Every structure is written in C-alpha cells, then in structure tokens.
Amino acid sequence: MVVTTDTTHPFACRLLRLIAYLLAGGALAQAFAYAVIYISIYDSQAAGMLAHLLIQYLANYFLGASFIILSVSNILIKRGLSDIKVIRIPSLAFMLVIAATSFLIIPRMDYLRETALLDGMPVMLSPFASYFLILNNLILLLLATQIFYSSLIAWRLSKTQLT
C-alpha cells in the first residue's frame, strides 16, 4: 500500500511557509535591531524612542503577515487540509502580542516621556521612572514572546507534510 502526502494546494502551502519564515526572521531582526540601537546610542531615552518607533512601524507588517497566514490557513482547513490547525492559536496569540505592544504599551510610554519632558526632566528622573521601567521590561518580554510565537508558527508549518 502506498501512502501519498501530496496536497492539493501546494502553492498556498508554500506561500504560508514563506510568510512564516519571513515573519520569524523579521521578529529576530527586530530584536537584534532593538539591541543594537540600545547599545550604539548613548542617550537611553533617545534610543528607546527610536527602538519603539521601529517596533511600531514593523508591527503593521507583522500584523498583515500574520493576518494572511491566519486567513489562508482557515481557507485551507475548510478545504480539508487539517494539518494546519496547529498554527491558528499561535498566529492569534502573535497578533495579540503585537497589538498590545504597539498600540497599548508604546503609546503609554510616549505619553509618560512627553509628560516628563514637559516638566523639564528626562523620564529617568521623573516620578514615573519606575512605571516606565516596568513598561520597558514588559516590551522586552513581549518582544521575546513575538519571537517565540513566530518561530513556533514557522516550525509547525515546516514540520507538517505540506509539500
């Protein structure tokens, strides 16, 4: 008896795999750029502003890519390719992590930064310094979570027999 592992949608599966690899590589590159910005710029407030701006710009591309992955995978699942069900939850979690980072936490940090500058001091010397540090550490944790989920999506898509 011969078992075939051919899929009826090879182009869509390759597209999913390509986008997932680009997403994982982009998340790693984003973390690397975040670290390089903090290391190379002496002023930590300016480095944070630049790094958070980078995160916010890349968030739009990451959300678009994860939306494409989720949409195409749902279409393929409806057409009978049930191996892709394993990427639904990681892609949704990836989208939530990106949205929380870029649309909730970073604007709050920008507000704290502007409030401190209006008072005539950097954010490190303002009364909000400990709160700002907590939010900055939370962004680092969420950045690591983005790397985890994007790598998990790419790994699960490469692990399945979708060729």
Side-chain angles (χ1 to χ4, degrees):
M1 177 159 76
V2 176
V3 177
T4 61
T5 59
D6 293 336
T7 180
T8 57
H9 309 287
F11 177 73
C13 294
R14 287 186 188 130
L15 177 69
L16 276 178
R17 198 175 290 138
L18 174 71
I19 293 173
Y21 291 156
L22 289 173
L23 201 62
L28 284 171
Q30 177 185 8
F32 182 70
Y34 190 86
V36 166
I37 288 171
Y38 265 104
I39 290 170
S40 63
I41 297 178
Y42 180 70
D43 184 14
S44 63
Q45 187 168 349
M49 291 169 64
L50 185 61
H52 295 156
L53 190 64
L54 175 74
I55 289 173
Q56 284 181 319
Y57 280 134
L58 288 176
N60 296 324
Y61 297 112
F62 289 161
L63 281 174
S66 60
F67 180 74
I68 289 170
I69 287 174
L70 189 63
S71 299
V72 172
S73 67
N74 282 336
I75 290 169
L76 290 177
I77 289 168
K78 292 227 183 240
R79 292 189 179 179
L81 197 61
S82 62
D83 291 344
I84 300 182
K85 283 185 180 180
V86 294
I87 64 166
R88 277 183 176 172
I89 298 209
S91 61
L92 282 173
F94 183 72
M95 291 171 79
L96 289 175
V97 167
I98 290 173
T101 302
S102 298
F103 303 120
L104 293 177
I105 297 173
I106 291 178
R108 180 67 181 161
M109 291 177 75
D110 290 340
Y111 172 76
L112 292 175
R113 200 178 283 123
E114 289 174 13
T115 304
L117 288 175
L118 285 176
D119 291 339
M121 63 184 85
V123 75
M124 293 184 304
L125 301 175
S126 72
F128 306 117
S130 62
Y131 180 53
F132 191 85
L133 181 66
I134 290 170
L135 290 178
N136 200 21
N137 289 336
L138 186 60
I139 283 182
L140 289 174
L141 178 69
L142 290 175
L143 189 62
T145 308
Q146 284 179 18
I147 293 170
F148 171 74
Y149 281 125
S150 65
S151 300
L152 183 66
I153 292 168
W155 177 65
R156 284 187 175 173
L157 279 174
S158 67
K159 184 178 167 189
T160 58
Q161 300 294 324
L162 298 175
T163 56

